[in-house]
Amino acid sequence: KQEVTQIPAALSVPEGENLVLNCSFTDSAIYNLQWFRQDPGKGLTSLLLIQSSQREQTSGRLNASLDKSSGRSTLYIAASQPGDSATYLCAVPGASYDKVIFGPGTSLSVIP
Amino acid sequence: GAVVSQHPSWVICKSGTSVKIECRSLDFQATTMFWYRQFPKQSLMLMATSNEGSKATYEQGVEKDKFLINHASLTLSTLTVTSAHPEDSSFYICSARDPLTTSGGANEQFFGPGTRLTVL
């Protein structure tokens, strides 16, 4: 059974710092991995999707990497801004591919 | 990317009433939609998979008679919380899979903005 964990659960950094969020999954046979952002009381915003054949994806100040063999993914945020404050979720497909299994999330606060 | 909408965005109801939440795929046809529930400070938990033209598939522990799902068309799935109670108060999010999307892989899902349900 696929399980997804995220470390740390919460993170507070001063504005301008670079930071790394970690995601681990137990079953390395994944089709892809997706990172989402969720603002309080809001739905999900898809940030990056990495296919199993890729090692990383970049979008602006965000860079996501994937190491299937070790069951890990990282989300790197460069030059953090207060507007980056949100909960970040990683997700992988379940065994049936239709289902998506979410990690518990990392709550990020960027202090001005 | 594909757009998924939900209506209403929030609803407050009295205990014992039923509430219907709609999930629509706006610019694509979704043969499969998914319903998630999220309690405060927790992650999303899949409740059920909604299949157009057939019965929904419920996850273990989810009462199918309490959470009625109807997927009558390729662009609309509804979740009805029957005889709602305060413990049903939660954030409900739907997602839809676009079978024609190839950029992210066959199982890329697009999420709605969520519906906040508060049962008094």
Side-chain angles (χ1 to χ4, degrees):
Chain A
K1 178 184 176 183
Q2 180 72 275
E3 293 183 2
V4 183
T5 56
Q6 290 185 246
I7 294 174
L11 182 64
S12 182
V13 300
E15 181 177 3
E17 270 201 11
N18 303 325
L19 56 99
V20 175
L21 308 181
N22 298 288
C23 172
S24 298
F25 45 94
T26 54
D27 186 348
S28 62
I30 59 171
Y31 193 87
N32 58 38
L33 183 144
Q34 202 163 358
W35 282 94
F36 294 91
R37 168 186 173 139
Q38 185 176 33
D39 292 289
K42 303 292 185 182
L44 302 181
T45 300
S46 179
L47 298 174
L48 291 164
L49 184 146
I50 311 175
Q51 297 192 46
S52 60
S53 58
Q54 298 174 321
R55 281 200 163 266
E56 63 179 61
Q57 279 281 353
T58 298
S59 176
R61 294 182 293 108
L62 305 180
N63 177 278
S65 67
L66 174 63
D67 184 345
K68 278 184 57 178
S69 60
S70 66
R72 294 179 183 177
S73 175
T74 61
L75 179 66
Y76 175 83
I77 302 178
S80 58
Q81 302 172 358
D84 295 330
S85 298
T87 296
Y88 291 81
L89 301 161
C90 68
V92 297
S96 68
Y97 277 172
D98 270 356
K99 301 178 182 180
V100 175
I101 300 174
F102 285 87
T106 293
S107 177
L108 172 65
S109 294
V110 180
I111 312 301
Chain B
V3 179
V4 175
S5 69
Q6 281 185 240
H7 178 80
S9 56
W10 59 269
V11 56
I12 301 173
C13 69
K14 292 182 179 180
S15 184
T17 61
S18 294
V19 176
K20 180 186 286 187
I21 303 171
E22 294 184 347
C23 176
R24 293 182 184 273
S25 56
L26 298 185
D27 50 3
F28 66 100
Q29 294 183 328
T31 54
T32 305
M33 292 184 173
F34 305 88
W35 287 96
Y36 295 84
R37 180 168 52 184
Q38 185 179 34
F39 291 109
K41 298 190 182 299
Q42 296 187 25
S43 192
L44 281 75
M45 296 300 294
L46 179 65
M47 298 176 64
T49 302
S50 172
N51 301 297
E52 188 269 335
S54 64
K55 291 183 179 181
T57 304
Y58 291 82
E59 295 300 299
Q60 190 173 10
V62 178
E63 300 175 58
K64 61 180 181 181
D65 295 329
K66 181 167 186 62
F67 299 100
L68 301 180
I69 292 174
N70 184 286
H71 193 155
S73 78
L74 288 172
T75 59
L76 173 64
S77 174
T78 61
L79 168 68
T80 301
V81 183
T82 62
S83 187
H85 291 284
E87 57 266 30
D88 298 323
S89 298
S90 186
F91 194 55
Y92 293 86
I93 302 178
C94 74
S95 71
R97 187 161 63 89
D98 180 0
L100 299 181
T101 297
T102 58
S103 61
N107 65 319
E108 182 176 12
Q109 295 183 18
F110 301 94
F111 288 81
T115 296
R116 171 77 57 194
L117 170 63
T118 301
V119 185
L120 303 177

